[in-house]
Amino acid sequence: MRVLIVEDNERIAKLTGSGLVAAGFAVDLAPDLASADAALGSASFDALVLDLGLPDGDGLEWLRRGRRARTVPPALVLTARGALDDRVAGLDAGADDYLTKPFEIDEVAARLRALLRRPGARTDVELVIGPLRFDTNRRACFAGEKRLDLARREADLLELLMRKAGTVVRRQAIEDALYSFDAPVTPNAVEAIVSRLRRKLDQACGCGEMLHTVRGVGYLLEERA
Amino acid sequence: MILPARSLERRLTGGLALVGALGALFLLLFIAIEYGLTFQTLADSKELPSVIHELTEHVVIPIMVLILPMTFAARWVIRASLRPLERKAREIDEASAHERGFRVDVTSLPAEVLPFANAVNALLDRIDEATREQEAFAADVAHELRTPLSVLALEIERLEHPAAERLREDIARMRRLIDQLMILAQLDIEAPQQADGEVALAEVAEDVASLMAPLAIRQKRNIAVETRGSASVTGRREAIFAAVRNLVENGLRVTPEGGTVTILVGPGNAIAVRDEGPGLEVEALETLRRRNLRADHASSHGAGLGLAIVSRIAAAHQARLTTQPAEKTLRLEFA
């Protein structure tokens, strides 16, 4: 997985870079937008780590233009502002996720992996979360070496939770993903699927507790390295 | 009513009484000269009764008839014209401690008081401006701190030293403090009265739960949302979000491992957070609430500015922050 870090503070860029290399990423550095453009033109990147305050322009504006021209990969924005409304502005401009400074390398790595798990990302074929492995082409799921025997909706749910591992997936999003618009959803349908999936995970690898319930909101699959 | 010596009302009444008395005296003198009355006439015991009779009938009684109602009328006029001042004073008193942009309304004030009211308003302008500058400065400082703190955090992450974990926790605390400072500054700089319109509390609760759940789960605690009714309030969504987030963070800090922090929406226009800690006493909440006003030193139990922020946001939304120690609940009740 190749990542381009666009950050003008040399120490932050280098420290983030070496941290991500240690986490298994291939990393290139760009100190400003001009060199970022040059790097994107000469090689293909899976993701971008973008600082907003750059010497030759505003990172958000650059991202917005790049998104329109479809030339930039998924972007994780780093912001020193941390203001509540910056988040909305950033996501509108085409940032896929954001982190406020100071950040931890583990967090950056986790967010980048989450970006790369999104549908359409290049590394889409196999999802890996802890002991769980999901082959999206063959729709086969493995817990360790054991293959899980999942019904269609259980597999759909697991794929959704694995793609969004580490974040809460709302119940409404699950219903939308699992059921077509006209199919009636009984009130406890999602709960039933979750509890069957949890039991199967428990039987296969004792990892049913990775699947957390956030009562009244949705579900979360714990991310483990 | 006993009035203080320097009261305007008392001085005006006194002045008017003096003018009345002097006027009556001058009138008597004038009549005496006009009619050629001398002290001899007054001393003459035969003439005196008729003179007194004449004076009483044509001078004293008319003056009395005039002066008594005039005295009461004067008192009434004076009081009525001073009443707007009293009302203004009450309004200024009632303006809440954090209300920005409060100005004395000069439209109903008597012309004589206008320069004074205008001077007060100019002073309020200057105070608001100074506060704004100070808060913008605090926000800038917080912002500028993030970059060196980032470098520090990244360097510490590479350390393999027994103290590294503790240092990481310190950095996390500093980071949280910067976040809180920036929220406070932002709330004040962008007038808190400025509303986004209707904010659905259930949505806020779900968003906060989604944001906080990963952290809570890493710390082996649960988060849940319980919704009763569909409460919605007028206000700034991000501010209400920050308030609920701070309540949840507070709840997570006091809840033991394996416990649950529950966000309760409704009934009515209220949102509450229930934890599994010891419950916050009313006096303790008051102390924490006052923290930002008194610039207290941070507490030993690490509550930080969290509840002071919640209290500030509540005030800006005419909401009440209360604690129910028995139910281990902190509650935000909107008007």
Side-chain angles (χ1 to χ4, degrees):
Chain A
M1 285 177 278
R2 192 163 178 188
V3 177
L4 180 65
I5 300 178
V6 191
E7 159 72 73
D8 63 324
N9 184 307
E10 203 185 327
R11 284 182 74 192
I12 294 182
K14 283 197 173 141
L15 287 164
T16 312
S18 61
L20 287 179
V21 167
F25 292 86
V27 174
D28 289 86
L29 303 181
D32 51 39
L33 295 176
S35 30
D37 277 327
L40 287 176
S42 62
S44 163
F45 291 90
D46 298 303
L48 203 65
V49 176
L50 177 68
D51 180 50
L52 289 187
L54 290 160
D56 56 346
D58 178 40
L60 272 187
E61 189 47 47
W62 177 80
L63 193 61
R64 198 174 285 132
R65 269 183 283 125
R67 269 293 128 82
R68 274 202 294 272
R70 297 176 183 280
T71 51
V72 289
L76 170 65
V77 164
L78 299 178
T79 165
R81 284 176 244 179
L84 299 157
D85 310 279
D86 275 0
R87 173 191 176 155
V88 182
L91 295 177
D92 278 353
D96 298 277
D97 202 354
Y98 90 112
L99 268 179
T100 41
K101 293 179 178 177
F103 49 84
E104 287 174 12
I105 288 294
D106 290 348
E107 188 74 29
V108 177
R111 302 283 187 107
L112 283 175
R113 279 196 290 267
L115 287 188
L116 298 172
R117 281 197 304 264
R118 291 198 175 178
R122 284 197 341 180
T123 45
D124 194 23
V125 192
E126 191 178 61
L127 303 166
V128 182
I129 303 293
L132 301 174
R133 212 151 44 79
F134 197 105
D135 183 331
T136 53
N137 278 351
R138 294 191 294 145
R139 313 241 3 110
C141 182
F142 300 88
E145 291 310 306
K146 242 185 283 176
R147 177 162 177 168
L148 287 171
D149 179 25
L150 299 178
R152 184 174 66 84
R153 287 201 171 117
E154 290 157 21
D156 288 350
L157 175 64
L158 186 60
E159 181 186 347
L160 180 63
L161 290 171
M162 284 178 79
R163 283 192 190 279
K164 305 239 165 146
T167 61
V168 176
V169 184
R170 308 279 179 103
R171 180 206 298 271
Q172 188 60 50
I174 295 175
E175 283 179 7
D176 292 349
L178 263 52
Y179 296 90
S180 54
F181 288 114
D182 45 355
V185 186
T186 52
N188 293 321
V190 174
E191 268 98 332
I193 297 171
V194 167
S195 74
R196 280 202 300 275
L197 180 60
R198 192 177 272 146
R199 205 172 47 241
K200 286 182 182 175
L201 287 176
D202 252 340
Q203 281 162 6
C205 58
C207 46
E209 82 277 10
M210 277 176 78
L211 206 173
H212 294 269
T213 303
V214 182
R215 191 159 50 81
V217 184
Y219 301 90
L220 176 147
L221 187 72
E222 200 180 315
E223 199 187 30
R224 289 181 187 167
Chain B
M1 185 171 56
I2 297 163
L3 293 160
R6 301 200 60 81
S7 144
L8 270 186
E9 186 181 337
R10 185 163 165 175
R11 282 166 67 181
L12 283 172
T13 317
L16 276 178
L18 195 64
V19 168
L22 283 177
L25 202 64
F26 277 122
L27 192 61
L28 280 175
L29 261 174
F30 177 79
I31 289 169
I33 292 163
E34 181 78 12
Y35 288 87
L37 291 177
T38 60
F39 286 104
Q40 264 124 16
T41 348
L42 291 178
D44 191 330
S45 54
K46 267 182 250 152
E47 293 268 343
L48 189 62
S50 69
V51 169
I52 288 176
H53 178 79
E54 282 290 304
L55 280 179
T56 313
E57 192 158 300
H58 292 110
V59 180
V60 178
I61 289 177
I63 282 179
M64 284 312 219
V65 166
L66 203 63
I67 271 184
L68 275 177
M70 263 184 72
T71 310
F72 286 110
R75 277 188 75 105
W76 181 78
V77 167
I78 291 165
R79 283 213 181 141
S81 51
L82 290 178
R83 207 166 297 136
L85 287 183
E86 260 172 60
R87 258 203 308 274
K88 288 294 161 213
R90 249 200 319 276
E91 272 172 34
I92 296 174
D93 253 1
E94 280 164 5
S96 86
H98 296 297
E99 197 172 330
R100 280 295 169 79
F102 175 83
R103 298 290 178 273
V104 183
D105 175 21
V106 295
T107 47
S108 59
L109 282 180
E112 290 80 358
V113 198
L114 273 186
F116 184 72
N118 286 333
V120 168
N121 279 344
L123 180 66
L124 286 174
D125 276 340
R126 286 200 294 277
I127 291 174
D128 272 7
E129 185 55 35
T131 322
R132 237 193 310 278
E133 271 170 25
Q134 206 179 352
E135 275 155 1
F137 178 70
D140 279 349
V141 169
H143 179 196
E144 290 302 320
L145 272 173
R146 283 181 191 274
T147 302
L149 201 58
S150 299
V151 177
L152 189 62
L154 291 168
E155 292 279 12
I156 287 173
E157 261 188 81
R158 289 148 51 98
L159 286 183
E160 289 188 20
H161 188 274
E165 190 49 41
R166 286 205 304 278
L167 292 176
R168 263 197 283 278
E169 281 167 19
D170 286 338
I171 297 239
R173 257 200 295 280
M174 285 160 78
R175 170 190 173 162
R176 186 72 204 113
L177 195 60
I178 290 177
D179 285 347
Q180 290 180 327
L181 277 176
M182 287 189 76
I183 290 175
L184 267 184
Q186 200 186 8
L187 278 178
D188 287 334
I189 293 167
E190 304 162 3
Q193 294 88 344
Q194 184 188 331
D196 285 336
E198 287 294 296
V199 179
L201 291 182
E203 259 176 49
V204 172
E206 285 185 27
D207 287 353
V208 173
S210 297
L211 179 78
M212 300 300 294
L215 176 76
I217 286 166
R218 271 204 294 281
Q219 298 174 345
K220 305 209 182 333
R221 283 148 181 90
N222 297 308
I223 287 192
V225 174
E226 283 175 19
T227 307
R228 290 190 194 85
S230 55
S232 77
V233 299
T234 314
R236 290 204 58 204
R237 191 179 193 286
E238 296 297 356
I240 298 172
F241 181 92
V244 178
R245 180 188 168 170
N246 273 295
L247 288 178
V248 170
E249 278 174 350
N250 176 71
L252 283 174
R253 214 185 41 251
V254 297
T255 298
E257 227 171 76
T260 302
V261 173
T262 311
I263 309 175
L264 307 153
V265 181
N269 283 341
I271 190 162
V273 172
R274 185 177 64 213
D275 56 51
E276 294 182 7
L280 187 66
E281 295 301 326
V282 177
E283 302 82 45
L285 174 65
E286 208 45 51
T287 313
L288 291 171
R289 195 208 298 270
R290 295 262 149 214
R291 159 147 313 129
N292 66 324
L293 301 179
R294 296 192 326 213
D296 254 0
H297 293 294
S299 61
S300 50
H301 43 277
L305 293 165
L307 290 179
I309 288 178
V310 179
S311 162
R312 247 335 227 274
I313 294 169
H317 286 83
Q318 279 88 48
R320 269 171 5 105
L321 172 65
T322 55
T323 174
Q324 283 97 41
E327 285 101 64
K328 306 172 187 317
T329 299
L330 286 170
R331 193 176 164 82
L332 264 179
E333 253 166 284
F334 293 84

